[in-house]
Amino acid sequence: MRDLQRRAVARLAPHLELLTELGRVFTAAGHELALVGGPVRDAFLGRRTSDLDLTTSASPEQTEALVRPWGEAVWDIGRAFGTIGVLKDGDKVEITTYRADAYDGQTRKPVVAFGSSLTEDLVRRDFTVNAMALRLPDLEFVDPYDGLRALAERTLDTPTAPEVSFADDPLRMLRAARFTAQLDFRVAPRVETAMRERASTIEIVSAERIRDELSKLVLADNPRPGLALLVDTGLAELVLPELPALQLEIDEHHRHKDVYQHSLTVLEQAMALEGPRSVPGVETVEPVPGPDLVLRLAALLHDIGKPATRRFESGGGVSFHHHEVVGAKLARKRLRALRFDKDTIRDVCRLIELHLRFHGYGEGQWTDSAVRRYITDAGPLLSRLHLLTRSDSTTRNRRKAARLASTYDELEARIEKLQAAEELGKVRPELDGNRIGEILGIPPGPVLGRAYQHLLAFRLDQGPVGEDAAREELLRWWAEQPESGQ
């Protein structure tokens, strides 16, 4: 045990001087101070941590008075929750008064009550692996709820009864799923039971807090077990119902694959493609640095339109016509409800809309015009679309999988050649808006916008044609419009 503690302390070496110095500041003033939670847990796990979370017997006002002359900068944005932040030698430290968070069962924000001891503070923390502390400045290890044993067993349990812990803050149920994904832990049986029984209480938590936990889960190294836990306990029905809805019943003839498991596999395959990659015949491949939230959300949600569009055909098959369109609409509605930002919503939904486009490529019959449209429709999402489309192949037929991969290799090679020849990222009609207005004698407005879009489509279909040909096509199009008076 002592060897393990020594190794954990050694991992905190970059911060030890700062922590012990700050500990002396507080003890000299008659207050307790301890490093607590994630930093202690991660030290034992051998994980790097940039968070320095401390807890103290001092009130927020007393904490602020102590750290102002000590630190380089102080902020009190978390004062209402008992937290004062301080910057020292490049390290950001957050110091929180001993506390206990709880919901009153009606509001969406936790009610804060300050505690009087470290043990009291630790018992109200979410899990025993986060209820360990190092008293400062002496680095005395405090583990009243056997968190170190749980850490060794890679088990998530709660310091108090789980139903009590989840009543204090229902978001802890989502946190349990997130930790299974981030830390490769499993939840204790009593914790999983409490999650099932108290799932409905997640509805009192704000959408923003739920969004943040789901994002951390999806961005984890292994999100699959965390997502499965949400589905198995019924929590997903309340926070992301489109996911369990993918568990379409398998009919006796097995006429379709398990869309739920397929979606989790697509997510994993997309993750595996993040970062540097190479493509045969392509000189420069633009990587998608991971972890990428937009790509992962699109992979997870790409087929959520299937339940609403499933049709059993007379010949024994199953179809999901236009599920990409329906899925994009459902994703937009869900991501808005979870308060995701507009850019993320736009990009995820666009990827879902486009994820089937490649399947029209066949054996490479697309014209250059079709390839240009693929490039321009994807726009800045093209690199992500490459990964999503490749990941959407989960067939166990190796020959079919190899053929699909080879065909997409060919498409990426064609894209590179066209982009190099035509700078498609900067493609514009040969005539700009001002010139279109002059030729047609019309002012800026919707009609001019339609004319511009027509010439853009013409440019994509025909490639570079020159101003004369563009003007001829513009006049031909104009002659067919009711506004022309012809």
Side-chain angles (χ1 to χ4, degrees):
M1 178 74 74
R2 289 184 178 179
D3 286 343
L4 186 61
Q5 291 179 29
R6 277 197 293 268
R7 287 198 297 270
V9 170
R11 293 188 183 101
L12 293 169
H15 311 290
L16 281 182
E17 183 177 350
L18 177 145
L19 291 173
T20 53
E21 180 184 335
L22 187 57
R24 293 189 187 103
V25 169
F26 274 72
T27 54
H31 301 296
E32 297 177 357
L33 185 70
L35 183 69
V36 69
V40 179
R41 177 201 68 216
D42 288 345
F44 279 106
L45 288 174
R47 289 164 53 97
R48 291 184 178 182
T49 181
S50 58
D51 297 328
L52 292 177
D53 296 328
L54 287 80
T55 187
T56 181
S57 59
S59 69
E61 293 72 24
Q62 291 169 328
T63 295
E64 184 175 8
L66 289 171
V67 298
R68 278 206 177 277
W70 176 82
E72 298 158 8
V74 175
W75 60 94
D76 65 352
I77 192 171
R79 180 185 293 274
F81 297 96
T83 301
I84 301 296
V86 58
L87 177 68
K88 175 77 168 182
D89 297 333
D91 277 323
K92 294 181 179 179
V93 180
E94 291 195 341
I95 307 169
T96 302
T97 302
Y98 294 153
R99 70 183 189 186
D101 289 348
Y103 280 83
D104 61 12
Q106 297 176 352
T107 62
R108 289 175 175 265
K109 294 183 179 180
V111 177
V112 177
F114 295 137
S116 58
S117 72
L118 178 58
T119 301
E120 182 183 2
D121 180 87
L122 294 178
V123 77
R124 303 307 293 270
R125 294 193 174 253
D126 51 5
F127 301 105
T128 58
V129 295
N130 294 329
M132 301 181 291
L134 287 173
R135 288 188 185 274
L136 301 175
D138 299 328
L139 303 178
E140 174 194 350
F141 181 55
V142 181
D143 184 19
Y145 306 106
D146 219 5
L148 194 56
R149 180 185 296 276
L151 202 67
E153 296 173 352
R154 307 195 80 80
T155 300
L156 280 178
D157 204 349
T158 51
T160 186
E163 56 271 20
V164 174
S165 180
F166 297 156
D168 283 347
D169 186 354
L171 189 71
R172 291 173 175 175
M173 295 184 287
L174 293 192
R175 222 173 274 151
R178 192 239 297 178
F179 284 136
T180 65
Q182 284 183 331
L183 304 176
D184 191 27
F185 281 21
R186 60 178 178 82
V187 296
R190 70 171 189 159
V191 171
E192 183 170 350
T193 297
M195 290 173 69
R196 294 176 188 274
E197 293 176 349
R198 298 197 59 83
S200 63
T201 62
I202 197 67
E203 294 180 312
I204 71 170
V205 180
S206 70
E208 290 82 0
R209 297 184 75 211
I210 291 172
R211 173 203 63 209
D212 290 346
E213 282 299 324
L214 285 176
S215 296
K216 291 174 184 177
L217 194 166
V218 171
L219 291 171
D221 290 341
N222 185 21
R224 188 175 197 135
L227 293 168
L229 182 60
L230 291 183
V231 171
D232 293 344
T233 57
L235 278 159
E237 290 281 357
L238 299 162
V239 300
L240 193 63
E242 293 78 11
L243 184 60
L246 293 174
Q247 295 178 304
L248 301 174
E249 63 275 9
I250 303 290
D251 63 280
E252 60 180 344
H253 301 295
H254 294 272
R255 291 182 288 188
H256 63 79
K257 69 180 99 180
D258 185 331
V259 184
Y260 167 65
Q261 294 297 337
H262 163 76
S263 298
L264 295 180
T265 300
V266 171
L267 170 59
E268 290 177 327
Q269 294 185 166
M271 291 166 52
L273 292 175
E274 292 173 336
R277 66 186 182 96
S278 60
V279 178
V282 179
E283 184 175 340
T284 303
V285 179
E286 183 181 355
V288 176
D292 188 271
L293 183 61
V294 167
L295 173 64
R296 295 188 181 196
L297 286 174
L300 181 64
L301 304 177
H302 76 285
D303 273 347
I304 61 173
K306 280 192 170 180
T309 58
R310 182 174 63 158
R311 298 291 183 273
F312 291 101
E313 306 294 346
S314 58
V318 178
S319 67
F320 303 96
H321 295 309
H322 306 301
H323 76 268
E324 73 280 13
V325 177
V326 174
K329 291 180 180 178
L330 291 173
R332 183 172 290 106
K333 181 178 180 181
R334 178 55 50 198
L335 296 178
R336 282 176 176 170
L338 288 169
R339 303 292 194 271
F340 277 91
D341 63 275
K342 291 181 180 179
D343 289 346
T344 297
I345 295 172
R346 179 199 62 217
D347 291 349
V348 170
C349 294
R350 188 59 172 154
L351 286 172
I352 293 173
E353 287 174 345
L354 295 174
H355 84 272
L356 288 183
R357 183 74 65 86
F358 163 71
H359 295 285
Y361 190 70
E363 298 298 326
Q365 300 97 327
W366 274 5
T367 62
D368 283 352
S369 170
V371 177
R372 289 189 197 99
R373 287 185 178 275
Y374 191 76
I375 297 168
T376 55
D377 286 351
L381 297 173
L382 183 61
S383 295
R384 290 186 177 105
L385 181 59
H386 289 332
L387 304 196
L388 176 59
T389 303
R390 288 179 178 276
S391 303
D392 197 21
S393 173
T394 58
T395 178
R396 295 181 181 178
N397 184 319
R398 293 185 179 181
R399 184 174 298 177
K400 181 179 179 182
R403 184 173 69 251
L404 286 170
S406 177
T407 303
Y408 205 90
D409 290 345
E410 177 193 320
L411 176 58
E412 284 205 56
R414 285 185 68 186
I415 286 172
E416 183 180 51
K417 291 177 181 177
L418 277 173
Q419 286 179 318
E422 302 181 17
E423 294 187 333
L424 286 173
K426 303 176 182 178
V427 68
R428 299 288 187 275
E430 274 90 352
L431 303 175
D432 64 17
N434 291 333
R435 188 75 179 109
I436 291 171
E438 290 174 6
I439 293 171
L440 301 184
I442 59 175
V447 177
L448 192 147
R450 283 177 20 226
Y452 182 91
Q453 289 301 319
H454 176 76
L455 283 187
L456 177 58
F458 181 69
R459 166 69 174 79
L460 293 172
D461 286 338
Q462 303 299 323
V465 296
E467 288 191 17
D468 290 343
R471 184 177 188 279
E472 182 179 341
E473 173 59 23
L474 175 63
L475 292 173
R476 185 202 63 75
W477 173 84
W478 180 241
E480 297 176 353
Q481 306 308 305
E483 294 87 352
S484 68
Q486 298 184 24

